[in-house]
């Protein structure tokens, strides 16, 4: 690649003459390569224009420098760094022509003379001048040596006349010349035709944002004082803005204290504030600055909301101006309606004085959101305005159905912290709403205490209101009893509530149906659970609420999973997610979080760990934001998978994070402690720490076993059975093989009796591993057929230990089993035969007589029968059989037949 900015003569003496006007700057110290972006730019070299637009500090110029340095060898590049002096079109064109003369010295001498003779106050035919220059340039350009012309910081020179000149230049660009433009302001060019003909490649702010890995690379070694959430917070607040991270590095180096590092990234302080003021805000018109100050208090905004805040009608035009001038505006939807400011830019704006008191702005926003039917955001604005009575009245407008459908209890509990207790117990509506929120959040004592205040409003004004209030109390009491593991009260309260609730209280009815269905799973009464599920789905479909339909699909998936029907459960989950597709991606829904988590859980059960982990992580983000206890599923499944892959440190860290959340959310241990402890026992057994596993399994067994056993927790209704599975694994580890076998046999029988095929196939596979370890291959072979039948619903994870520990035995046995989807899936998961092994056991390896003996072995003939049929001695038969086993790398006749079939030696 020829660099016209750094040629020998030009970089030396010509540098002084031309004042470095064509000098391409070096990459800044500590530059992080943007290979993904350079590759995208590379694909645009076949067109005419590479356009890179983004706000200040996003690394536009550095990217252009890096791209130029990596150009193919047959390319030349010319760099024009622009300044505000270049906004005169004549001056700009002079510089352009002088630069092009570095590529072709004989180019445009007459044209340059015409430019120098012109007077600035007189009109000049720029397009006619460019037309002649382009004709001459086309003659000198060489297709085998193309030229990349870089216009850096075009926004500094941009103006109406220059835009027209460059539009003409672009429209008539000769072959062999490609333009790369970096700018904070989008050029006023008509680019539709270039897009249509694929002659344009654009990179914008969203493209230039640093990825998390690139952010870590920028931070380099200075993250030594940051870990976990602090580091994540730093990267998240930077919003991919490279300048923000660079300023953080400077502030961190000056502070010298690790404790100050996370607080250093703030847009309203220090270097970032100065930079944003100088480079962005101070150069904006006064009315635009006023708009920024008045709207900075909003987490998100649209033009209508901004009009309401400012009592004006020009917000749409100002937002369009901010977009065109790349002023740190982040779109929140594909329709271009909702936006937010970059986090650090927002920090600075909020430190400035708006035209009205903040309370007035928030109250205006409250009225606007209320008018739009966005009650949750209206409540947030009322609280920020300090109008607690307004917020309480708005909360009362939320229906129980909306609360129970969305189950975003985090929002309600956040409001609860701002509302005084006297307001919370002032009306039955507030008491019921907040009792439900506390119950769904697992704060059972607080929910029960608050619900007790309903007695102050009894007797109700009418018999109908009285029955409705009592029925709601029954439904809530049923949910609280389920949380505490009280079987009888759960069933009694929920069934009575279902009889008493008015039809319009379909939200409470659906929660009761979900609760009794979950209890039925814990009791292994799957037919009853399915019946409750069916009723719930029919009710949700009748009322047409997609969130309740999604929750019903989630409950059905859990029953199907417990029955071992993983594929059907996965389909059920995806139906639920499909039902939610029309909902806003900006709002948070516990139903979507649960379905996403469970999809990940089921994918792991299908032995698709990477896809499963991705869905689990996505579900965790939304579940945490909703404060939904279903995060336990995500953390426990990820921890279990980490343990299976030998990453024990990460596994225990995952469980610690789950416990931390439960403590922060004030969730009683009955919801989570047993779940987390059971996964720890699994990890301890894998590490060989049998003493810890034995101690805790004993405690778990005492709590969830026997006649007075507590009901399994809501998010792990099969917990007692999994405790039994871990106890069998412990007994095997301790050498108590007989006890382990008896326990597993009892679990298989229990699973077969109840229809719980997930338990059945898991216990069978564990039992097979136990038998193989005891050299009891015959019984193991018989059990494999049963396990394949039990696993026909797609529960492949039960076979994972067999796949890892006994791959050869499993392959041979599977090849002798009737074809089935489960058999095919397991064979596909087994490692392929080693190539050398396969070639070493080709047809030529076995002699003709050995192949004849093998065929009779495959037919089930005894050694004596083979001797009689082939007219050879019994000793010779045994010798041939020994040679066959040796050549095929097996030990037994059945293994030899299976291996021969796999290699195609037998039909």
């Amino acid at each position: 690649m020829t660099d016209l900015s750094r040629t020998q003569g030009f970089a030396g003496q010509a540098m002084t003459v031309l004042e470095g006007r064509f000098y391409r700057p070096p990459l800044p110290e500590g530059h992080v390569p943007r290979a993904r972006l350079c590759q995208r730019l590379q694909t645009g070299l076949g067109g005419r224009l590479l356009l890179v637009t983004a706000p200040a500090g996003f690394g536009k110029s550095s990217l252009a420098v890096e791209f130029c340095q990596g150009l193919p060898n047959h390319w030349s590049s010319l760099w024009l760094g622009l300044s505000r002096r270049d906004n005169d079109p004549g001056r700009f064109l002079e510089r352009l022509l002088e630069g092009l003369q570095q590529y072709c010295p004989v180019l445009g001498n007459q044209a340059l003379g015409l430019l120098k003779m012109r007077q600035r106050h007189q009109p000049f035919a720029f397009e006619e001048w460019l037309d002649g220059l382009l004709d001459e340039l086309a003659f000198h350009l060489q297709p085998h040596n193309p030229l990349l012309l870089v216009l850096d910081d075009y926004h500094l020179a941009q103006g109406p006349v220059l835009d027209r000149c460059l539009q003409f230049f672009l429209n008539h660009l000769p072959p062999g010349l490609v333009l790369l433009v970096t700018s904070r302001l989008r050029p006023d060019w008509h680019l539709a035709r270039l897009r249509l003909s694929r002659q344009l490649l654009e990179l914008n702010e969203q493209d230039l944002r640093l990825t998390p890995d690139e952010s870590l690379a920028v931070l380099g070694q200075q993250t030594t004082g940051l870990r976990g959430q602090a580091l994540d917070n730093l990267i998240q607040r930077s919003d991919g803005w490279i300048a923000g991270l660079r300023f953080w590095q400077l502030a961190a180096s000056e502070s010298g204290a690790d404790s100050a590092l996370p607080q250093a990234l703030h847009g309203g302080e220090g270097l970032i504030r100065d930079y944003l003021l100088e480079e962005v805000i101070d150069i904006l018109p006064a009315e635009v600055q006023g708009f920024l100050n008045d709207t900075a208090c909003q987490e998100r905004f649209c033009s209508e909301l901004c009009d309401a805040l400012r009592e004006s009608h020009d917000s749409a035009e100002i937002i369009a101006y901010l977009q065109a001038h790349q002023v740190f505006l982040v779109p929140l939807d594909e329709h271009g309606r909702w936006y937010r400011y970059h986090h650090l830019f927002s920090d600075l704006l909020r430190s400035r004085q708006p035209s009205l008191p903040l309370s007035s702005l928030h109250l205006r926003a409250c009225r606007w959101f209320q008018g739009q039917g966005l009650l949750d955001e209206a409540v947030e604005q009322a609280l920020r305005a300090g109008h607690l009575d307004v917020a309480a009245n708005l909360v009362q407008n939320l229906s129980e159905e909306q609360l129970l459908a969305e189950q975003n209890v985090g929002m309600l509990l956040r409001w609860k912290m701002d509302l005084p207790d006297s307001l919370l117990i002032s009306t039955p509506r507030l008491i019921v709403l907040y009792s439900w929120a506390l119950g769904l959040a697992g704060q059972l004592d607080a929910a029960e205490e608050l619900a007790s205040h309903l007695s102050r409003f009894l007797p109700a004004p009418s018999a109908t209101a009285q029955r409705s209030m009592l029925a709601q109390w029954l439904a809530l009491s049923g949910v609280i009893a389920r949380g505490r593991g009280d079987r009888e009260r759960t069933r009694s309260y929920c069934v009575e509530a279902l009889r008493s609730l008015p039809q319009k209280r379909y939200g409470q009815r659906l929660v009761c149906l979900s609760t009794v269905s979950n209890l039925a799973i814990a009791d292994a009464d799957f037919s009853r659970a399915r019946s409750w599920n069916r009723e719930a789905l029919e009710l949700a479909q009748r009322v047409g609420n997609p969130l309740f339909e999604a929750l019903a699909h989630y409950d059905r998936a859990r029953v199907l999973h417990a029955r071992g029907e993983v594929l059907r459960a996965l389909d059920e989950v995806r139906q639920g997610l499909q039902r939610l597709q029309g909902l806003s991606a900006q709002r948070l829904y516990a139903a979507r979080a649960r379905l996403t988590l469970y999809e990940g859980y089921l994918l792991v059960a299908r032995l698709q760990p990477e896809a499963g982990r991705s869905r689990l992580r996505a579900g965790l983000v939304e579940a945490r934001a909703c404060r939904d206890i279903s995060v336990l599923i995500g953390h426990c499944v990820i921890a279990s998978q980490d343990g299976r892959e030998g990453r024990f440190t990460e596994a225990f860290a995952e469980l610690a994070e789950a416990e931390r959340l439960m403590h922060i959310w004030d969730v009683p241990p009955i919801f989570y402690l047993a779940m987390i402890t059971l996964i720890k026992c699994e990890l301890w057994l894998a590490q060989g720490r049998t003493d810890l596993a034995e101690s805790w399994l004993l405690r778990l067994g005492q709590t969830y076993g026997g006649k007075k056993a507590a009901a399994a927790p809501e998010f792990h209704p099969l917990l007692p059975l999994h405790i039994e599975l871990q106890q069998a694994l412990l007994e095997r580890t301790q050498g108590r093989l007989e006890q382990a076998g008896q326990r597993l046999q009892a679990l298989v029988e229990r699973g077969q009796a109840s229809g719980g095929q997930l338990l059945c196939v898991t216990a069978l596979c564990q039992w097979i591993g136990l038998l193989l370890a005891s050299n009891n291959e015959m019984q193991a072979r018989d059990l494999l057929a049963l396990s394949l039948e039990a696993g026909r619903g797609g529960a492949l994870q039960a076979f994972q230990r067999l796949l890892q520990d006994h791959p050869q035995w499993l392959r041979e046995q599977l090849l002798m089993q009737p074809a089935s989807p489960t058999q095919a899936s397991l064979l596909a998961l087994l490692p392929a035969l080693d190539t050398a092994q396969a070639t070493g056991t080709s047809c030529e390896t076995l002699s003709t007589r050995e192949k004849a003996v093998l065929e009779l072995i495959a037919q089930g003939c005894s050694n004596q029968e083979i001797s009689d049929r082939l007219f050879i001695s019994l000793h010779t038969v045994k010798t041939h059989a020994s040679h066959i086993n040796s050549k095929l790398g097996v030990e037994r006749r059945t293994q030899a037949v299976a291996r021969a079939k796999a290699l195609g030696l037998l039909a």
Side-chain angles (χ1 to χ4, degrees):
M1 188 269 293
T2 303
D3 181 3
L4 301 177
S5 306
R6 296 170 184 246
T7 54
Q8 180 68 29
F10 180 63
Q13 67 186 53
M15 183 81 155
T16 304
V17 176
L18 298 178
E19 302 174 339
R21 289 177 291 176
F22 306 107
Y23 178 69
R24 189 182 72 212
L27 286 171
E29 184 179 354
H31 172 74
V32 172
R34 313 293 299 275
R36 61 184 177 89
L37 298 180
C38 288
Q39 288 172 3
R40 287 186 59 184
L41 290 173
Q42 188 82 25
T43 63
L45 286 177
R48 293 188 183 187
L49 175 62
L50 309 175
L51 181 59
V52 182
T53 57
F58 271 91
K60 301 179 293 297
S61 298
S62 296
L63 173 63
V65 172
E66 180 185 351
F67 179 63
C68 288
Q69 290 183 355
L71 280 173
N73 291 332
H74 65 287
W75 276 81
S76 299
S77 68
L78 174 64
W79 185 278
L80 258 66
L82 303 180
S83 68
R84 298 195 186 281
R85 295 179 62 197
D86 295 311
N87 61 5
D88 171 53
R91 174 182 167 82
F92 170 83
L93 293 175
E94 282 184 34
R95 288 200 57 202
L96 175 64
L97 181 51
E98 288 173 350
L100 290 172
Q101 286 176 341
Q102 306 302 314
Y103 176 81
C104 179
V106 299
L107 177 69
N109 288 326
Q110 184 177 358
L112 184 59
L114 287 174
L115 273 181
K116 291 184 178 295
M117 289 172 57
R118 75 181 182 93
Q119 300 294 319
R120 288 196 178 190
H121 61 278
Q122 293 178 345
F124 186 82
F126 289 112
E127 290 185 359
E128 182 180 340
W129 182 89
L130 276 170
D131 192 33
L133 177 67
L134 287 167
D135 285 342
E136 192 175 351
L137 182 61
F139 178 78
H140 292 287
L141 283 170
Q142 302 173 13
H144 64 275
N145 182 22
L147 173 65
L148 177 69
L149 174 60
V150 182
L151 303 182
D152 187 38
D153 286 337
Y154 178 71
H155 59 279
L156 295 176
Q158 187 170 358
V161 178
L162 188 57
D163 273 343
R164 289 198 301 271
C165 288
L166 266 294
Q167 179 79 70
F168 184 87
F169 186 74
L170 195 57
N171 289 344
H172 300 86
L173 208 62
L177 179 61
V178 177
L179 196 60
L180 169 58
V181 177
T182 72
S183 178
R184 296 182 192 175
L185 178 63
R186 186 178 180 76
D188 189 15
W189 300 335
H190 301 295
L191 301 175
R193 183 178 298 177
L194 289 180
R195 285 196 195 92
L196 191 62
S197 59
R198 298 188 178 182
Q199 296 291 303
L200 166 65
L201 187 140
E202 292 182 271
L203 297 180
N204 56 31
E205 175 187 346
Q206 299 302 319
D207 300 309
L208 266 67
R209 289 182 187 277
L210 296 171
T211 65
D213 287 342
E214 288 171 340
S215 296
L216 286 172
V218 169
L219 295 171
Q221 299 303 312
Q222 262 185 298
T223 61
T224 52
L226 299 182
R227 291 290 184 275
Q229 190 64 38
L231 182 57
D232 291 342
N233 180 61
L234 176 70
I235 292 174
Q236 185 265 338
R237 282 191 55 75
S238 73
D239 253 344
W241 188 40
I242 189 169
L245 291 178
R246 294 294 188 203
F247 286 130
W248 178 87
Q249 287 180 309
L250 288 173
S253 64
E254 291 175 1
S255 69
D258 287 351
S259 59
L261 298 185
Q263 292 77 27
L265 194 64
H266 192 281
E269 302 171 358
L271 296 171
I272 297 178
R273 173 188 173 87
D274 295 342
Y275 180 83
L276 290 175
L277 284 173
E278 294 172 9
E279 296 292 329
V280 182
I281 291 181
D282 288 347
I283 61 177
L284 294 173
E287 62 272 17
V288 176
Q289 292 190 40
F291 175 92
L292 295 174
N293 296 337
D294 289 342
T295 57
C297 60
Q298 298 301 312
E299 297 292 338
R300 66 174 188 141
F301 55 86
C302 62
S303 60
E304 299 91 339
L305 172 59
C306 295
D307 280 343
L309 291 176
R310 303 167 57 242
E311 294 186 340
S312 66
H313 303 285
D314 61 349
S315 297
E317 291 80 2
I318 294 180
I319 290 175
Y321 178 91
L322 295 174
Q323 284 181 289
H325 288 74
Q326 302 282 339
V327 185
F328 289 88
L329 208 58
V330 180
L332 296 178
D333 57 39
E334 297 177 355
H335 310 294
R337 187 183 183 210
W338 288 96
Y339 300 89
R340 70 168 173 85
Y341 294 118
H342 187 288
H343 293 310
L344 303 180
F345 191 62
S346 180
D347 291 341
L348 171 57
L349 295 179
R350 290 176 184 177
S351 69
R352 292 160 65 88
Q353 188 66 37
S355 61
L356 290 173
L358 280 176
S359 59
S360 299
L361 291 171
H362 284 303
L363 197 56
R364 288 181 181 181
C366 171
R367 296 193 191 102
W368 185 85
F369 280 118
Q370 184 181 5
Q372 300 297 310
L374 300 171
L375 292 180
D376 50 349
E377 295 189 72
V379 173
E380 293 277 2
Q381 296 297 326
L383 291 172
R384 293 183 184 183
H387 289 258
L388 302 184
D389 53 339
V390 174
N393 285 330
L394 288 170
V395 172
Q396 290 191 110
N397 291 326
L398 289 170
S399 68
E400 289 92 334
E401 280 63 40
Q402 182 180 348
L403 166 64
L404 296 174
E406 296 185 3
Q407 295 198 19
N408 187 357
V409 297
M411 175 182 67
L412 270 170
L413 296 182
R414 190 170 63 250
W415 297 343
K416 182 177 179 291
M417 296 176 64
D418 294 319
L419 295 175
D421 291 343
S422 58
L423 270 179
L424 289 177
I425 61 174
S426 61
T427 67
R429 294 272 307 128
L430 284 172
I431 292 172
V432 169
L433 282 169
Y434 270 100
S435 296
W436 274 114
L438 291 165
L440 295 172
Q443 297 183 22
L444 306 179
D445 292 340
E448 193 169 50
E449 180 184 353
L450 185 58
S452 69
H453 287 280
L454 285 173
S455 61
R456 296 172 47 225
F457 299 91
L458 295 175
S462 67
T464 302
Q466 178 101 346
R467 285 194 300 272
S468 177
M469 192 180 300
L470 289 173
Q472 291 194 66
W473 179 84
L474 284 168
L476 179 61
S477 298
V479 171
I480 292 172
R482 178 67 187 96
R484 289 176 172 155
D486 191 329
R487 281 185 172 84
E488 297 309 316
R489 289 194 177 189
T490 301
R491 194 176 289 110
S492 171
Y493 284 137
C494 287
V495 171
E496 183 61 31
L498 288 169
R499 293 196 193 102
S500 309
L501 281 165
Q503 290 299 317
K504 67 177 182 179
R505 297 296 183 193
Y506 60 87
Q508 290 93 325
R509 296 182 67 84
L510 285 163
V511 170
C512 286
L513 289 169
S514 175
T515 301
V516 292
S517 169
N518 183 270
L519 187 63
I521 298 175
D523 293 337
D525 190 351
F526 300 117
S527 60
R528 175 63 64 131
R530 290 182 67 190
S531 175
W532 293 122
N533 287 161
R534 192 178 304 111
E535 185 177 344
L537 184 58
E538 289 171 357
L539 175 57
Q541 290 173 338
R542 278 201 305 274
V543 300
N545 187 310
L547 287 165
F548 280 126
E549 286 185 54
L551 287 167
H553 283 296
Y554 169 73
D555 285 337
R556 281 166 64 90
R558 298 187 73 183
V559 177
L560 289 167
H561 187 195
R563 295 180 60 200
E565 299 181 61
V566 175
L567 289 169
R568 287 185 61 194
L570 197 54
D571 182 62
E572 201 75 39
V573 163
R574 287 169 176 168
Q575 285 185 52
L577 289 170
Q578 179 71 26
R579 192 68 184 88
L580 298 179
Q581 278 195 338
L583 299 180
S584 169
Q586 303 303 320
R587 292 177 64 84
L588 300 168
Y589 299 104
R592 185 166 58 201
R594 292 184 191 181
L595 286 166
T596 305
L597 284 168
Y598 219 74
E599 184 181 20
Y601 187 6
L602 294 170
L603 287 169
V604 170
R606 288 287 297 159
L607 287 183
Q608 299 177 35
E610 293 307 315
R613 190 183 295 268
S614 173
R615 297 302 286 159
L616 287 164
R617 290 294 183 198
L620 278 172
V621 171
E622 190 161 18
R624 286 181 65 149
C626 292
R627 194 169 172 169
D628 193 71
I629 307 176
S630 63
V631 294
L632 288 169
I633 295 175
H635 287 300
C636 287
V637 174
I638 291 173
S640 178
Q641 188 61 31
D642 283 340
R644 291 171 188 268
E645 296 170 3
R647 298 196 301 270
F648 296 109
T649 302
E650 292 87 341
F652 282 110
E654 201 73 39
L655 297 177
E657 176 62 14
E659 287 190 88
R660 187 185 72 85
L661 280 178
M662 296 301 102
H663 285 302
I664 292 173
W665 293 351
D666 198 24
V667 176
I670 194 169
F671 273 91
Y672 66 90
L673 190 58
M675 283 180 65
I676 292 176
T677 302
L678 185 61
I679 301 297
K680 287 182 178 179
C681 289
E682 179 185 323
L683 298 174
W684 288 328
L685 285 172
Q687 290 180 309
R689 301 166 69 182
T690 54
D691 52 339
L692 277 172
E694 182 176 23
S695 172
W696 282 101
L697 284 173
L698 177 62
R699 298 187 195 184
L700 290 172
Q702 291 170 345
T703 304
Y704 293 97
K707 294 182 179 179
K708 296 184 179 181
E714 177 187 350
F715 288 100
H716 199 341
L718 298 180
L719 177 79
L721 304 178
H722 285 262
I723 293 172
E724 291 283 309
L725 288 168
Q726 291 300 317
Q727 286 176 330
L729 187 58
L730 171 66
E731 289 164 347
R732 173 183 169 180
T733 304
Q734 293 175 330
R736 295 183 287 155
L737 304 185
E738 185 176 351
Q739 294 96 314
Q742 291 172 353
R743 190 184 297 274
L744 291 168
Q745 183 177 359
L747 285 171
V748 170
E749 292 170 355
R750 185 171 175 179
Q752 290 172 333
S754 66
Q757 295 300 314
L758 181 65
L759 166 67
C760 195
V761 67
T762 307
L764 279 168
C765 288
Q766 195 168 320
W767 194 2
I768 291 168
L770 178 68
L771 292 169
L772 290 175
S774 308
N775 294 318
N776 191 345
E777 187 179 332
M778 183 175 296
Q779 189 180 358
R781 186 167 57 246
D782 295 337
L783 291 182
L784 181 63
L786 290 176
S787 69
L788 291 173
E789 175 63 22
R792 68 183 184 278
L796 299 180
Q797 192 178 29
F799 295 89
Q800 188 169 8
R801 289 291 296 271
L802 294 177
L803 289 164
Q804 292 173 348
D805 298 345
H806 306 281
Q808 188 53 49
W809 178 87
L810 185 59
R811 185 195 304 278
E812 292 162 359
Q813 298 307 315
L814 288 172
L815 288 170
M816 291 189 286
Q817 296 292 329
S820 69
T822 304
Q823 179 221 33
S825 297
L826 291 172
L827 284 172
L829 289 165
L830 283 164
L833 287 175
D834 184 74
T835 304
Q837 181 187 41
T839 55
T841 53
S842 61
C843 295
E844 290 73 22
T845 303
L846 300 180
S847 67
T848 303
R849 179 64 76 183
E850 286 168 348
K851 284 191 285 185
V853 169
L854 181 59
E855 288 172 356
L856 292 174
I857 289 174
Q859 295 173 21
C861 297
S862 66
N863 286 348
Q864 187 61 57
E865 289 172 331
I866 296 172
S867 172
D868 294 339
R869 290 195 187 188
L870 297 180
F871 303 103
I872 56 178
S873 69
L874 187 60
H875 174 74
T876 302
V877 172
K878 292 180 179 178
T879 302
H880 284 318
S882 177
H883 290 168
I884 290 169
N885 288 348
S886 176
K887 291 178 179 180
L888 294 180
V890 299
E891 297 177 359
R892 301 177 181 84
R893 290 162 62 102
T894 53
Q895 293 175 336
V897 172
R899 175 62 62 81
K901 286 181 179 179
L903 294 173
L905 303 180
L906 291 174

